[in-house]
Structure formats: structure tokens, C-alpha cells
Amino acid sequence: MTNIAIPLYPRFTALDAVGPYTVLAFAPGCTVTFVAAEPGPVLDDRGSLSLAATASYDDLPAPDVIVVPGGPGTIEALSDAELLGWIARAHERTRWTTSVCSGSFLLGAAGLLKGRRATTHWGWLDQLAGFGAEPVSERVVVDGKIVTAAGVSSGIDMALTLLAAMRDEETAQAVQLAIEYDPRPPFDAGNPKTAPAGLSDKAMALIN
Amino acid sequence: MTNIAIPLYPRFTALDAVGPYTVLAFAPGCTVTFVAAEPGPVLDDRGSLSLAATASYDDLPAPDVIVVPGGPGTIEALSDAELLGWIARAHERTRWTTSVCSGSFLLGAAGLLKGRRATTHWGWLDQLAGFGAEPVSERVVVDGKIVTAAGVSSGIDMALTLLAAMRDEETAQAVQLAIEYDPRPPFDAGNPKTAPAGLSDKAMALIN
């Protein structure tokens, strides 16, 4: 059984956590646990979704995989010594250490990205260099056992890539088919390179 | 303000609810509320994610929009008179009545799909005819004010389509860019027509 832990902190972005959760929780032989300083409900960045952590950091010190979500709450989480300490200690024994969106800033603050290729949401990509990382504008970046994903929805692509690497392609494909992940966005606006001019400011205003 | 309600029931599929939630909760002027028979935590189909309903059906009888998620729990929910009654009564006054995956079976059981074009997960599409619907193999199907989506992850595409219809394309595109929904699945296996031969049985075994 592969034990996967997703830490939750106030003002995380729900899809950052639930996208990878769904991919990994549907895979055979995986157990996914939401963890926090203390078990209990954790409120998201919109203030309208509350997801339960069922274990504390102390309960789950050595998962096989960690998936660190992003969200506006990373600003406060960057000085959360308990969370950062858990990430740093867990990483010593993980098979895979992963993040979605601004979750990579928490990997950085835990000291894991020095000299590493990594990514995050397009709106903050340059800032990854402040943690000694090499910012890469790709949807999923694999550097050794560290896998970082771009903004919010990219966690689904990251988790499928991860599942193929940690199991096999057929397992990842079976999960992809089970969740009918055959995306058909109605617009080609998911990337600042293809979005209509002037949309970036509007998009950033929605998430800040 | 547009009031959007997402009903939760035991063994719903988390991404069915959280995909559309994220799109709509990031949109300006939208309030999204998770509802259930009673407020409190509701456990998902994997038994490892618990999302809080913050209102009862009685608290929110007339939302502008409903988004009904699917999941293995629809089997029991098909005989949940309280849920089906809420869907039927809410539909009388909604601007939009929507579903993801097997959530369309709940619309059908509430009597809303007679003579309507509708979709659901590829694995159960034919069964929609049992509710008097015309099953359509498309990712998002709009018939009047009823919008149904295919399996699990298709709720993200549905919600962007819905947001463009109920607001405007620019708002939907800004949310798409904010959540960096520029999907790059590592495999072309999200649809039974493109997936490797023999994968459908493996996929269905994961979700049943």
C-alpha cells in the first residue's frame, strides 16, 4: 500500500488538493490522507469549502508521497514552522515529494528546491528563484523525486504523471478513463500565452 | 449575487463537486454553498475525503443554480426522497439546473429529463434512456436550462460553459486563466474511443 499525505492549511485552494486526491485515491493500492496540525475541518481560500484533515502531522511523519497544495494561504503558511518542518522531515523518506500551484513555495521554504527545476502558477513563476530554484514554465516538472505542477488545475496532470512513474502507464490510463479526463475547455484561455490580451490582470484579481 | 447550491450525499465523487465549485467560486458575484439533509461532514466514495455541508435543503430552497455531483452513492440517492424532492422543487425556480457524471441520474429520478438531451459518464450513458432522456455522447450537453456533463472531470468544462452562458465569455476565460486550466493529459486515454483496447473494464472496476 502506498501512503499519500496531503497537508491542508487555512486558505488552501480546493482543486489543488482534490484534483490529485481524486486521481490517486482511484488508483488501486493507494491510501490518501488529509493531514494538518490537528485533525479537523480546514477552510479553503473562498471561505465556502471545508475539507476535513483526519490525521495530524505527528500521526503521519513518513508517508511515501506528499502532495502540497497551493492557495492564497501559502503567504501565512510560509511562516508555519510546524508545516514546513513536517514537509522537510517527510521529504527525507518520501519516494515522491510533490506540489501544486503555490505549494512549490512551501517546498522552497522547507529548503527542498535549491538547484532544482520547479514550477508554480504562471503569475508567480519568477519568484521561485528566491528559493534557489530554477523556474520552469511547464505544466509538470520532474526533478529527481520532486514533482511540481503549475496552477490549480494542473494537479490533475501532475498526479497522472506521478501515478505512471510510481506504478505504470496502464494504471494511470485506467484512472484517466475512469474519471473521463478527456478535457475540452470551451476556450483557449488557460495560459497567458494563448489567452486574450489584457486577461492576465483580471485573472490575477480573482485569485489575490 | 448568484446563489449556487451543490448537494452532497454519502459516497459522492469529490472532483464532481469540487471541479465546478472551484470554477464558480472564483467567479465574481457567485456564492457557492454545499447543502445536505443536515449541515455537517459528508464522506466521499473513497471513504477518505469529508466535505462539509453548511446548509440544509430547507435552508436553501431556491438557489439560482444547482450542481448535482455523481458518484457510486447515486445508487442509494436514487431513493432519497428528501434529496430528489429538493432537486425537483429547486428546479422550478432555478436559472440553471446542472449535473456532473451520474448526477444526471438524480435529475432523471426527480423527473427533469423527460424528452431532454442529456449526458453522463461513458460507462452508464445508455441507462439515461430509462428516465425518458435522449442520451448524448458529448462532454457537456445544454438543453434549455438543464446542463449535464460527462464523467467526473468534465464538471470543470461544464462549469466554464455555464459561467460563459450565465455571465459572459470574458468572465469564464478569466477564471480559466486564474486556475490555469490549460490541460495537458500525459496520455490520450480519457475517452473509451481513444483509450487502449481493453482499458474500459479496468477503468470501470476502479469506480464500481
Side-chain angles (χ1 to χ4, degrees):
Chain A
M1 187 63 70
T2 302
N3 284 302
I4 299 158
I6 303 180
L8 299 179
Y9 51 87
R11 304 204 300 134
F12 72 103
T13 296
L15 188 57
D16 288 27
V18 175
Y21 164 79
T22 300
V23 169
L24 298 170
F26 271 105
C30 288
T31 297
V32 190
T33 306
F34 293 102
V35 298
E38 298 293 333
V42 182
L43 199 62
D44 82 339
D45 55 357
R46 305 296 105 194
S48 46
L49 179 148
S50 175
L51 198 56
T54 58
S56 71
Y57 297 135
D58 289 344
D59 290 335
L60 212 62
D64 302 303
V65 178
I66 64 174
V67 180
V68 181
T74 46
I75 293 169
E76 295 83 30
L78 282 169
S79 54
D80 179 341
E82 204 171 352
L83 170 58
L84 299 180
W86 177 80
I87 291 172
R89 287 188 302 276
H91 176 69
E92 293 173 11
R93 289 193 273 174
T94 55
R95 284 168 55 200
W96 299 95
T97 296
T98 77
S99 66
V100 180
C101 199
S102 54
S104 55
F105 288 100
L106 300 176
L107 301 189
L112 310 187
L113 295 185
K114 293 187 186 85
R116 298 277 199 164
R117 300 172 77 248
T119 198
T120 186
H121 191 284
W122 58 265
W124 306 289
L125 183 60
D126 293 344
Q127 295 178 36
L128 268 182
F131 297 101
E134 178 192 338
V136 178
S137 179
E138 288 173 13
R139 191 138 176 100
V140 177
V141 174
V142 182
D143 186 335
K145 74 173 187 178
I146 296 182
V147 187
T148 52
V152 189
S153 63
S154 63
I156 300 172
D157 294 325
M158 186 278 287
L160 287 168
T161 302
L162 174 68
L163 188 55
M166 78 184 194
R167 289 287 166 80
D168 53 71
E169 293 198 352
E170 191 187 42
T171 299
Q173 291 172 332
V175 170
Q176 183 182 357
L177 185 54
I179 65 168
E180 202 164 347
Y181 185 51
D182 181 33
R184 294 283 180 271
F187 311 105
D188 189 11
N191 187 302
K193 292 168 196 146
T194 60
L199 203 69
S200 294
D201 289 347
K202 283 185 192 289
M204 290 306 284
L206 295 178
I207 52 176
N208 275 324
Chain B
M1 187 62 72
T2 302
N3 284 303
I4 298 157
I6 303 179
L8 299 179
Y9 51 86
R11 302 204 301 134
F12 72 103
T13 296
L15 187 58
D16 288 28
V18 175
Y21 163 80
T22 299
V23 169
L24 298 169
F26 271 105
C30 288
T31 298
V32 190
T33 307
F34 292 102
V35 299
E38 299 294 335
V42 182
L43 199 61
D44 82 337
D45 56 356
R46 305 296 106 192
S48 47
L49 179 147
S50 175
L51 199 57
T54 58
S56 71
Y57 297 134
D58 289 345
D59 290 333
L60 211 62
D64 302 303
V65 179
I66 65 173
V67 180
V68 180
T74 47
I75 294 169
E76 295 83 30
L78 282 170
S79 53
D80 179 342
E82 204 171 352
L83 169 59
L84 299 180
W86 177 82
I87 291 172
R89 287 189 302 276
H91 175 70
E92 293 173 11
R93 289 192 273 174
T94 55
R95 284 166 57 200
W96 298 96
T97 296
T98 77
S99 66
V100 180
C101 200
S102 54
S104 55
F105 288 99
L106 300 176
L107 301 190
L112 311 186
L113 295 185
K114 293 188 185 84
R116 298 276 199 165
R117 300 172 77 248
T119 197
T120 186
H121 191 284
W122 57 265
W124 307 289
L125 183 59
D126 293 345
Q127 297 177 36
L128 270 182
F131 297 100
E134 178 193 336
V136 178
S137 178
E138 289 172 14
R139 192 141 176 98
V140 177
V141 174
V142 182
D143 185 335
K145 74 172 187 178
I146 296 183
V147 186
T148 52
V152 188
S153 63
S154 63
I156 300 172
D157 295 325
M158 186 278 287
L160 288 168
T161 302
L162 174 68
L163 188 56
M166 76 184 194
R167 290 288 167 81
D168 52 69
E169 292 198 353
E170 192 188 39
T171 300
Q173 289 171 332
V175 170
Q176 183 182 355
L177 184 53
I179 66 169
E180 203 165 343
Y181 185 50
D182 180 33
R184 294 284 179 269
F187 310 104
D188 188 11
N191 187 303
K193 292 166 195 146
T194 60
L199 204 68
S200 295
D201 288 347
K202 282 185 193 292
M204 291 305 284
L206 295 178
I207 52 177
N208 276 325

